[in-house]
Amino acid sequence: MKNQSYVWHPNTQMLEWLKFPKIVRGNGMWLIDQDGNKFLDGVASMWCNVWGHSKKELVDVIIKQTKKLQHSSLFNFTNEPIEILAKKLTKLSPGMAQVFFSDNGSTAMEVSIKMALQYWNNLGLKNKTKITTLENGYHGDTFGAMSVGYVPEFFSKFRTKLFSTVQFPVPNSYHMPNNFTKNEFTDYCLEKIDKKLCEDESIAAFVMESGAQVAGGVNIYPVRFQKQVNEICRKYDVLFVLDEIATGFGRLGSMVEYKNQKCRPDIVSFGKMLTGGYLTLAATLMTKKISDSFLGRFSEMKHLFHGHTYTPMRTKKSINKIVFDEGKKHHIFFRTLGNIIMLVPPLAISKKEINLLIDGTLDTIKGITRLTK
Ligand SMILES: *Cc1c(COP(=O)(O)O)cnc(C)c1O
């Protein structure tokens, strides 16, 4: 019984699966394997597909964009599609001012948590460091995301490396504790949250899924629950951080579920259905209150210390900015590491272009030396 696959499949006991159906084509709601078997896609390709597979309009725009530009980092540049998308997302999401992009839901949650923690740090309130969450939540499989969404069966092996959080019981429609009605248990949960947030000033944020806990067994919250948690957070000046990765963009009938829940989060993340399942992308949106707290002189180090290869980062005036501006005059894109100018061109670069790169680098360094004299 030897497993022959070169691919290690996620959350899968590989010995149980000696052979996986090989999907060769998608067509509408159907996936088709190499033997011609059809599978009606009952999981929307891990909950992210919206319009079905091989939807012509989507494929066409992806091809059109791919022919123009495949990837340009947001570390120092911007680009048209990302600007359009960021604007659309903020218009769609009441109260939100800006968008930080990453490439999967777990990282979007990592960004949310870091943003919430650094917000208080930027304000000088360095003791506000605790994260509160709900039991039975799920926010992804990376370490920060595991910490805020502890699911015992999934995460117990890594428990010693997870950061601690305060978890509250969540009203669960399927099994109420003895003698509680749904209403009474909702009140009981809310009282617990209120009491803790009232007495503990070190709480930085409350993180929860918006609308329902999906991975936790499709637990749809009682109508008023999320709104009241939001109100408690506001009362005690705790950031309200929502995860709409599973529920946003239509799954619960709303594009933005917190609107439906009559909430106003400080930070909210979208993923999965954001791209209809055609590209890997996630987004973390925040209010102006949050984004403004990250503004300052470069030396204040208030900017967000986070960025992925397929992500943006905000840069302010710094050595990096000076080098970038000077490099631009010589038509070269640099991104520095501290006081190091790194040259990392695409591997297929020609000799002629290498020479241009080196000459331009030398001219840039001369230019900077002149500037900083
Ligand atoms: C799927 C999911 C995530 C993680 O997203 P990935 O893209 O799988 O990393 C986070 N939160 C919720 C609610 C999810 O359903």
Side-chain angles (χ1 to χ4, degrees), residues 47 104-107 109 138-141 209 214-215 243 245-246 272:
W47 318 347
N104 65 75
S106 306
T107 49
M109 290 313 294
Y138 177 80
H139 301 285
D141 283 352
E209 284 152 272
V214 184
D243 177 346
I245 292 154
K272 293 201 167 87

Side-chain angles (χ1 to χ4, degrees), residues 29 67 80 122 126 165 168 172 174-175 183 205 254 269 299 306:
M29 301 301 134
K67 284 182 174 167
E80 196 181 20
N122 285 346
K126 304 215 160 129
T165 60
F168 297 104
N172 186 320
Y174 309 114
H175 23 82
N183 240 334
S254 53
S269 290
S299 57
H306 195 96

Side-chain angles (χ1 to χ4, degrees), residues 4 6 19 31 109 122 127 176 190 263 273 295 315 330 333 343:
Q4 298 292 345
Y6 288 105
K19 195 162 175 267
L31 293 165
M109 290 313 294
N122 285 346
N127 67 326
M176 287 295 153
L190 288 165
C263 287
M273 306 215 296
L295 301 177
T315 48
H330 305 286
F333 168 33
L343 298 182

Side-chain angles (χ1 to χ4, degrees), residues 151-262:
V151 181
E153 313 86 78
F154 287 16
F155 305 152
S156 59
K157 279 136 193 112
F158 314 105
R159 179 151 215 169
T160 58
K161 301 296 175 223
L162 303 184
F163 64 74
S164 60
T165 60
V166 179
Q167 295 204 351
F168 297 104
V170 57
N172 186 320
S173 332
Y174 309 114
H175 23 82
M176 287 295 153
N178 288 345
N179 306 324
F180 273 114
T181 65
K182 194 163 160 178
N183 240 334
E184 284 166 356
F185 192 60
T186 302
D187 283 336
Y188 168 84
C189 295
L190 288 165
E191 276 160 27
K192 282 211 139 182
I193 296 168
D194 190 290
K195 185 160 178 292
K196 178 70 183 166
L197 268 55
C198 174
E199 68 191 19
D200 192 343
E201 287 190 353
S202 66
I203 296 172
F206 192 103
V207 182
M208 68 186 280
E209 284 152 272
S210 188
Q213 296 183 318
V214 184
V218 194
N219 176 33
I220 298 189
Y221 307 131
V223 173
R224 63 195 170 91
F225 178 66
Q226 185 171 325
K227 179 168 180 276
Q228 283 181 269
V229 174
N230 191 176
E231 282 161 7
I232 295 169
C233 288
R234 202 170 301 134
K235 188 159 73 170
Y236 300 116
D237 210 9
V238 166
L239 295 182
F240 189 49
V241 178
L242 287 180
D243 177 346
E244 298 216 353
I245 292 154
T247 51
F249 280 77
R251 186 55 66 197
L252 296 187
S254 53
M255 287 296 272
V256 172
E257 176 58 19
Y258 72 78
K259 256 167 88 172
N260 204 26
Q261 299 280 341
K262 304 192 169 45

Side-chain angles (χ1 to χ4, degrees), residues 92-104:
L92 202 63
S93 315
M96 297 298 140
Q98 261 184 337
V99 191
F100 190 100
F101 289 101
S102 57
D103 47 3
N104 65 75

Side-chain angles (χ1 to χ4, degrees), residues 74-75 82 85-87 89-90 96-105 107-112 114-115 118 267-271 274 281-287 290-291 294 303-315:
L74 289 165
F75 277 75
I82 210 80
L85 178 59
K87 189 170 173 188
L89 283 173
T90 44
M96 297 298 140
Q98 261 184 337
V99 191
F100 190 100
F101 289 101
S102 57
D103 47 3
N104 65 75
T107 49
M109 290 313 294
E110 301 281 337
V111 172
S112 303
K114 285 173 78 171
M115 214 175 255
Q118 200 184 319
I267 299 172
V268 61
S269 290
F270 299 107
L274 174 60
L281 187 75
T284 304
L285 283 78
M286 77 305 296
T287 59
I290 304 290
S291 62
F294 286 77
H303 47 291
L304 181 65
F305 288 89
H306 195 96
H308 296 282
T309 305
Y310 295 98
T311 299
M313 183 181 266
R314 267 211 213 165
T315 48

